[in-house]
Amino acid sequence: VGIIPYDEIDSAAPAEDAFGKHYANIPWALMLVNWGAVIGLFTTLITGLYSQARIYLAMARDGLFFQAFGRVSPTFGTPIHAQWLCGAIAALLACVPVDKLALFLSIGVLLSYTVVCAGVLVLRAESPEQAAKWSGLVTLAAVAASLCSSYILSSKNYLAIAATAVFALLAMLCWVPFFQVPYSRPSTFACPGCPTIPLFGLTINGYLLSQCHWQAWLRLVLTSFLILGAYALRVRKSLKTPGSRNQRDLHLSLAVQPDTVSS
C-alpha cells in the first residue's frame, strides 16, 4: 500500500514486485518476503499431505477405498501406502501451470469450507434433513445474488439490480428457519455463535464461489461426478457383502446417533 499504483500490481507476486528494484528497492525486505513464501508453501503442503493420507486411511478402513491404503507401517505406524499416493498426486499436480491449478484448487477449497459450515448446522440441528436443505438454499441464493451484482458492475442494468436485491433478500430469508430450530452443543467441536457463524460462512463462501472462473466450475463438476460415482460404487459393493467387516464398519461410520453426537 502506497508503493505501487493499484493498476500496476503484479498479481503473480505482488509483494516481491513491491520490494523489488523497480519500486521500493529494499533487498532485505524482498528476501524476507521470498523466504516467507517458501516456508508458508512448505508447511501448507506438508499439512495437506499429512491430513489427506489419513482421510484415505479412514475411507479404506470403512470399505470406501482400496484396502491397500488402509494399512499402516509396522515400524512407524503411519499409512505408508496412502502417503505414497498423496505424494504421487502432488508430484503430478506440480507439472500443471500454477494459474490453472489455482483456478481449480480455489473452488475446491471454497466448496469444502461450505460443506464444513453446512455440516456444523446439520450435525447440531435436531432436524438435520431440514438443515441440509436450507443450507443448500442459502448457498445457491448467495451465488445467484453475487452473479447478478457482478453483472451490475459491467452493464449498470436496472434489471440486474432488482435481481440482486431479490436474491440477496432470499438468502437472508433462508436464514430464518435456522433460528427456529434448537441446536445441541457437543463438546468435541465447540463452535460459538451457532447458527449465526456457520450461516455467515455459507453466505460469504457462496459469494466467493460465484467469483470463480467458469473453467473452475466445469472442472469442479466433472471431478465431483467422477468422485461421487466411484464413491457410490464402493458403497454399493460394501453393502452387498452381508456380515462382512466392511459392511459393519460402513454402518457404524454412517450411523450418527443423537446421543453419540451430544456425548
Side-chain angles (χ1 to χ4, degrees):
V1 176
I3 299 179
I4 304 178
Y6 75 95
D7 56 342
E8 298 180 12
I9 295 177
D10 185 3
S11 59
E16 181 181 2
D17 189 34
F19 292 110
K21 60 182 180 180
H22 297 294
Y23 293 99
N25 193 20
I26 307 177
W28 62 268
L30 178 62
M31 181 184 66
L32 288 178
V33 167
N34 289 333
W35 273 105
V38 171
I39 295 173
L41 287 173
F42 180 77
T43 54
T44 303
L45 288 172
I46 291 297
T47 304
L49 291 173
Y50 181 89
S51 59
Q52 189 64 42
R54 272 68 185 172
I55 293 175
Y56 290 150
L57 171 68
M59 291 175 62
R61 289 183 172 178
D62 283 342
L64 304 178
F65 202 46
F66 299 104
Q67 292 300 310
F69 299 105
R71 302 171 187 168
V72 297
S73 170
T75 305
F76 303 103
T78 57
I80 184 170
H81 294 152
Q83 202 68 70
W84 276 109
L85 175 64
C86 293
I89 295 175
L92 290 175
L93 292 178
C95 302
V96 181
V98 176
D99 53 346
K100 295 182 179 180
L101 191 62
L103 288 176
F104 179 68
L105 294 182
S106 296
I107 194 171
V109 172
L110 284 173
L111 181 62
S112 65
Y113 288 163
T114 303
V115 172
V116 169
C117 292
V120 173
L121 296 170
V122 171
L123 289 176
R124 290 192 172 197
E126 290 190 358
S127 54
E129 296 85 1
Q130 182 181 0
K133 177 181 68 175
W134 285 103
S135 297
L137 290 177
V138 170
T139 306
L140 291 177
V143 170
S146 177
L147 288 175
C148 293
S149 65
S150 300
Y151 186 66
I152 292 173
L153 296 176
S154 60
S155 64
K156 298 181 180 179
N157 192 322
Y158 290 103
L159 182 60
I161 297 176
T164 302
V166 169
F167 283 116
L169 179 61
L170 180 61
M172 299 306 297
L173 288 177
C174 290
W175 282 36
V176 176
F178 288 99
F179 292 96
Q180 300 175 346
V181 178
Y183 296 89
S184 61
R185 183 178 175 83
S187 59
T188 52
F189 60 101
C191 174
C194 186
T196 305
I197 292 179
L199 285 173
F200 269 117
L202 288 175
T203 307
I204 295 172
N205 286 337
Y207 167 76
L208 294 175
L209 283 169
S210 69
Q211 303 302 310
C212 294
H213 198 274
W214 67 268
Q215 293 182 2
W217 277 97
L218 179 61
R219 293 168 187 167
L220 176 67
V221 171
L222 295 177
T223 305
S224 298
F225 275 115
L226 178 64
I227 293 175
L228 289 175
Y231 191 78
L233 290 176
R234 296 297 299 182
V235 171
R236 183 181 179 184
K237 181 179 178 181
S238 297
L239 291 177
K240 274 189 172 181
T241 308
S244 64
R245 180 179 180 275
N246 290 340
Q247 187 184 35
R248 294 194 302 271
D249 292 343
L250 180 63
H251 283 300
L252 181 61
S253 61
L254 295 182
V256 180
Q257 301 296 334
D259 55 344
T260 304
V261 175
S262 61
S263 61

